[in-house]
Amino acid sequence: MNLFFRSANHSLLILTLFLVTISIASNDKLVPLVFTYLFITNSIFCFLFLLDKKRAKVDGQRISELSLSVTALLSLNLSTLLMQELIRHKTIKWQFNGKLFITFVIQNILLLSYFVVTIF
């Protein structure tokens, strides 16, 4: 089950990157705003993920998977899979990877909707 979610998440990340690139390329005015937004949201996600890993080691108050999933969704999941591999946190939890899969699906539906609306 976990292998399915991990491979599907990698594939959906590629689709996300493709859709974001097309969306940015279609409107040059958005480039600085989008990069600033992505930098801030991904920095917040990385901080929360590192904090959760630190708290997991010392049995502290953990950050909920829902909070991590929502933050990953807002940051377009660009740093999610990288952080999982770098700090080896939540890599074998199929429940968390399933939630990430759902966030990938939601964000790609939203990006596709935006892409279709801007074309027509």
Side-chain angles (χ1 to χ4, degrees):
M1 173 89 64
N2 193 35
L3 183 61
F4 166 76
F5 284 133
R6 299 215 12 107
S7 60
N9 287 345
H10 284 88
S11 300
L12 288 171
L13 178 61
I14 292 169
L15 178 60
T16 301
L17 292 171
F18 177 72
L19 292 172
V20 168
T21 303
I22 291 175
S23 300
I24 292 172
S26 67
N27 190 347
D28 292 338
K29 297 174 187 173
L30 290 178
V31 172
L33 181 64
V34 169
F35 282 131
T36 303
Y37 170 79
L38 290 175
F39 177 77
I40 291 170
T41 56
N42 280 284
S43 297
I44 291 170
F45 176 79
C46 291
F47 172 76
L48 290 176
F49 211 67
L50 285 167
L51 183 64
D52 188 53
K53 172 74 173 189
K54 181 180 176 184
R55 289 179 177 178
K57 286 184 175 182
V58 296
D59 293 327
Q61 179 66 36
R62 300 285 302 273
I63 298 171
S64 71
E65 287 186 356
L66 179 62
S67 297
L68 290 174
S69 297
V70 168
T71 309
L73 176 67
L74 294 175
S75 65
L76 296 181
N77 285 312
L78 297 181
S79 59
T80 308
L81 300 176
L82 177 66
M83 288 302 292
Q84 273 188 310
E85 294 301 320
L86 283 177
I87 64 173
R88 304 298 299 160
H89 186 50
K90 295 194 179 285
T91 54
I92 59 173
K93 288 196 68 177
W94 68 267
Q95 298 92 339
F96 182 71
N97 287 310
K99 290 173 187 171
L100 284 182
F101 176 77
I102 293 168
T103 63
F104 273 116
V105 169
I106 291 169
Q107 77 188 12
N108 281 305
I109 289 171
L110 292 173
L111 286 169
L112 282 170
S113 301
Y114 172 77
F115 185 63
V116 168
V117 168
T118 58
I119 289 179
F120 301 110

